[in-house]
């Protein structure tokens, strides 16, 4: 009689994670060969350390039941918002602005923390718990109950966004809105409300872009955005009309990706200088180093993860609605980061500071993403146990 495989051995999630780690380390190693990083230290080695910490946290999470995560989600959400509040009021002696953005605790010895990255994960956990509790209270959906759920989600979303916009970090704010929107859609509210929300959201987005393009000065007052953010939107909307300085990043990114052609230049051969090559523009380095084929493989790995999250969320709904919504929320996080980051490197999206999750260099990003991955892994373990119980 063959030995039964452990429920903790989720091979598909393990293989996907190992693929991301390998891609990240190879890309970061190649990025740091650029002359601009000679005095910056070994990014690849630091990324290994971040991943080791993340894996240890992932393993630790496997000892925590989903029910415990569900019960603690409110307190974790409050903790995440408090981090943003503390960051906002912190002096530059512990939170020094970088490129005009006060987004990090970066003057603390031995560690740099970006609170918004941590808040993303606890935000997903809290929204999942909020939806489940609402559905337990209102078993039969009504127009009033659906509107009440939307209002609660909007309030829970606007609270962290209010402080993130103050940093300012418009890109991360969009991530929060996307996650909230995706979970509203998947929460089962009436399709008429969904239709109005989707049409209204698209109309608001189009009007905001048109306002920025046609009346940039007015858009600063109305939308509260900064001049450099307006320049990024203008460059994305019509790059041919912008001065060379405004187009610099996107031009360098396109040149970097295009130079890789079909198969890439291989390791140790980066030639095009690119700002933030190891973080925001890591996909450009992948395109240069491994070409169209390598870039396509990376996109396919992301597709596999998103597909796994969707199927896991659907399968786990019967035994754990909370775990299901966490999977959908994490899927939304991966989807918006991947689309926005890759999109900006090839010129179809405005440039933002949104990293490519699992691959871009960064301690807060890697560790928080691994915490989210650990929770999803725990859902997969629980789903495997339930499936084994039903069929035995």
């Amino acid at each position: 009689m063959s030995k039964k495989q452990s429920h903790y051995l989720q091979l598909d999630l393990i293989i996907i994670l190992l693929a991301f780690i390998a891609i990240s380390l190879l890309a970061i190693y190649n990025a740091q060969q650029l002359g601009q990083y000679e005095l910056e230290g070994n990014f690849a080695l630091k990324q290994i350390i971040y991943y080791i910490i993340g894996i240890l946290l992932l393993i630790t999470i496997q000892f925590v039941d989903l029910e415990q995560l569900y019960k603690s989600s409110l307190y974790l959400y409050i903790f995440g918002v408090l981090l943003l509040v503390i960051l906002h009021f912190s002096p530059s002696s512990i939170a020094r602005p970088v490129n005009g953005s006060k987004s990090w605790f970066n003057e603390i010895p031995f560690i740099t923390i970006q609170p918004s990255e941590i808040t993303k994960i606890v935000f997903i956990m809290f929204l999942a718990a909020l939806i489940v509790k609402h559905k337990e209270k209102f078993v039969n959906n009504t127009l009033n109950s659906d509107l009440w759920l939307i209002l609660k989600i909007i309030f829970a979303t606007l609270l962290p966004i209010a402080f993130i916009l103050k940093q300012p970090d418009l890109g991360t704010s969009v991530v929060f809105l996307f996650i909230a929107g995706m979970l509203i859609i998947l929460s089962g509210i009436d399709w008429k409300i969904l239709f109005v929300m989707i049409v209204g959201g698209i109309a608001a987005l189009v009007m905001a872009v048109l306002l920025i393009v046609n009346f940039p000065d007015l858009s600063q007052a109305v939308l509260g955005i900064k001049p450099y953010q307006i320049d990024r939107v203008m460059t994305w909307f019509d790059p041919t009309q912008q001065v060379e300085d405004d187009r610099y990043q996107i031009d360098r990114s396109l040149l970097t990706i295009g130079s890789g052609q079909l198969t890439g230049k291989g390791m140790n051969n980066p030639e095009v200088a690119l700002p933030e090559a190891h973080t925001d523009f890591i996909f450009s380095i992948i395109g240069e180093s491994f070409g169209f084929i390598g870039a396509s493989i990376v996109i396919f790995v992301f597709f596999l993860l998103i597909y796994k999250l969707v199927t896991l969320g659907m399968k786990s709904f019967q035994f754990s609605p909370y775990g299901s919504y966490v999977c959908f929320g994490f899927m939304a996080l991966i989807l918006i980061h991947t689309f926005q980051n890759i999109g900006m490197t090839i010129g179809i999206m405005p440039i933002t500071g949104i990293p490519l999750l699992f691959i871009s260099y960064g301690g807060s990003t890697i560790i928080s993403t691994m915490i989210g991955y650990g929770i999803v892994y725990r859902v997969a373990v629980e789903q495997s146990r339930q499936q084994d119980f039903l069929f035995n």
Side-chain angles (χ1 to χ4, degrees), residues 86-387:
I86 294 170
L87 174 67
H88 177 70
F89 291 104
S90 294
S92 58
S93 58
I94 61 173
R96 172 177 48 83
V98 177
N99 296 327
S101 182
K102 187 180 176 182
S103 301
W104 299 268
F105 291 113
N106 49 15
E107 295 297 331
I108 301 174
F110 311 113
I111 190 170
T112 298
I113 300 173
Q114 187 174 3
S116 61
E117 293 298 320
I118 299 171
T119 308
K120 286 177 189 175
I121 303 302
V122 297
F123 173 70
I124 291 170
M125 295 173 64
F126 176 65
L127 284 196
L130 188 153
I131 294 171
V132 171
K133 289 177 181 177
H134 179 89
K135 286 184 165 293
E136 289 175 349
K137 184 176 181 180
F138 300 96
V139 178
N140 298 314
N141 285 17
T142 65
L143 181 62
N144 288 337
S145 68
D146 285 347
L147 290 174
W148 178 231
L149 174 60
I150 292 171
L151 286 174
K152 288 191 288 187
I153 292 175
I154 290 174
F155 177 78
T157 306
L158 293 181
L159 190 57
I161 283 180
F163 291 96
I164 292 172
L165 284 174
K166 289 289 185 180
Q167 295 178 3
D169 190 345
L170 182 61
T172 300
S173 300
V174 171
V175 171
F176 277 77
L177 289 173
F178 185 84
I179 293 170
M182 184 67 74
L183 287 178
I184 287 175
I185 292 172
L186 297 174
S187 64
I189 65 172
D190 189 273
W191 67 269
K192 299 184 188 72
I193 301 176
L194 275 181
F195 178 78
V196 173
M197 289 186 62
I198 292 172
V199 172
I202 294 174
L205 181 62
V206 171
M207 289 177 63
V209 172
L210 291 176
L211 180 65
I212 292 172
V213 172
N214 295 297
F215 306 99
D217 294 333
L218 179 62
S219 64
Q220 291 187 54
V222 175
L223 302 177
I225 60 177
K226 304 296 182 182
Y228 77 90
Q229 294 170 330
I230 293 176
D231 291 339
R232 288 177 175 180
V233 174
M234 297 287 282
T235 302
W236 163 69
F237 189 80
D238 189 2
T240 62
Q241 299 300 315
Q242 304 307 306
V243 298
E244 186 175 348
D245 289 344
D246 293 336
R247 300 197 318 264
Y248 179 76
Q249 284 182 304
I250 185 61
D251 287 346
R252 302 303 293 181
S253 177
L254 291 172
L255 180 61
T256 303
I257 293 177
S259 68
Q261 300 185 34
L262 182 63
T263 58
K265 301 175 182 175
M267 298 295 294
N268 297 312
N269 289 309
E271 298 176 352
V272 183
L274 179 65
E276 309 299 336
H278 63 313
T279 53
D280 299 345
F281 288 92
I282 193 68
F283 188 77
S284 304
I285 296 297
I286 292 171
E288 181 184 30
S289 302
F290 310 111
F292 175 80
I293 294 175
S296 299
I297 291 173
V298 172
I299 294 174
F300 181 67
V301 176
F302 275 108
F303 169 79
L304 289 178
L305 175 58
I306 291 171
Y307 176 78
K308 173 64 180 177
L309 292 170
V310 171
T311 55
L312 178 59
M314 295 172 64
K315 290 178 181 177
S316 60
F317 188 81
Q318 293 300 321
F319 78 90
S320 176
Y322 173 72
S324 177
Y325 285 117
V326 168
C327 288
F328 292 142
F330 193 67
M331 176 273 295
L333 176 67
I334 301 299
L335 182 61
I336 185 62
H337 267 264
T338 305
F339 181 78
Q340 169 59 35
N341 182 275
I342 294 178
M344 76 177 187
T345 63
I346 59 177
I348 65 172
M349 293 295 288
I351 293 176
T352 64
I354 294 180
L356 188 58
L357 296 184
F358 291 103
I359 297 179
S360 292
Y361 171 81
S364 295
T365 302
I366 290 296
I367 292 172
S368 62
T369 304
M370 288 298 291
I371 291 173
Y373 202 77
I375 298 171
V376 167
Y377 198 100
R378 181 64 195 181
V379 175
V381 170
E382 292 288 342
Q383 192 273 331
S384 178
R385 282 178 172 172
Q386 290 293 324
Q387 189 176 31

